[in-house]
Amino acid sequence: MSGEAPRWGDSLKLTSSLLLGVFTKPSISAHPSPLMRAGENVTLRCHSLLWFDEFILHQENSPGHFQRHGQILTGGHVPADFFIGPMTSVNVGTYRCYGSLRHSPYVWSAPSDPVDIIITGRSRKPSLSAQGGPLVRSEENVTLVCSSESAFDQFHLLKETEDLGQLLSVGWGPRGALQAEFPLGPGTPAHSGVYRCYGSFTRSPYSWSDPSDPLFLSVTGEEPLPGPCFVLHVQSLCCVQLFATLWTGARQSTSDIQVIPS
């Protein structure tokens, strides 16, 4: 039995004791994303390779406070979809699911890994930058800096949809902005991608700001070219090439003209 079973049982105010951890934990995922704006809907999907008759979903939205969110009968390997929304501060929190069998309703699996459902857009977006610029040589140390003029006391860094963790604010940057540094270590091609950061307050851990503008980080084996990098639209580039071709042809035609003295 899990060491946390009594605490979970007490906080859930269940009349019967539960035997937890008899079966392997199921999996839980959030669709389309665990980060949602107010009014949007999210689906939590519980599934397992084991044959469960039922999945039970639990929510924690404050330390030590758990509540049973619902249960779905499945029968077999069919996943259970729990629909959450429209998103408000009541729906946010840490969710876990359990699997059980119909003939043993008080014997549950181990809890799934947690998934945090976050509501975003509660504050103005921070800014995200890379020390030394977004073009990085392989093995060069990579540090991303998230900063804001809002008084956030923690920042969160995400690559695509992968949460890379959070940092408490570490100091003040230029122009009085509060900032946190995320050291990613020596750069590898795996670090290349799109990054965003969010700000939040420790008193409201499930309410985050708007996302920063995306930062496109590129790590290559070649040394970055010096100076600024310019991006030309394809149409503009074609026009430049066409003009250069016409100008070269015109010069060649002019050189072929023979002047006959009168």
Side-chain angles (χ1 to χ4, degrees), residues 1 7 11 20 28 39 63 73 77 97-98 103-104 108 117 138 175 182 193 210 240:
M1 180 182 296
R7 182 173 65 85
S11 61
L20 301 180
I28 188 171
L73 297 176
H77 301 289
C97 68
Y98 299 78
H103 60 77
S104 302
W108 290 7
I117 300 301
S138 181
R175 300 186 298 276
F182 291 86
D210 275 324
V240 172

Side-chain angles (χ1 to χ4, degrees), residues 14 36 57 94 257 262:
L14 297 177
M36 308 298 293
L57 183 67
T94 299
I257 297 176
S262 55

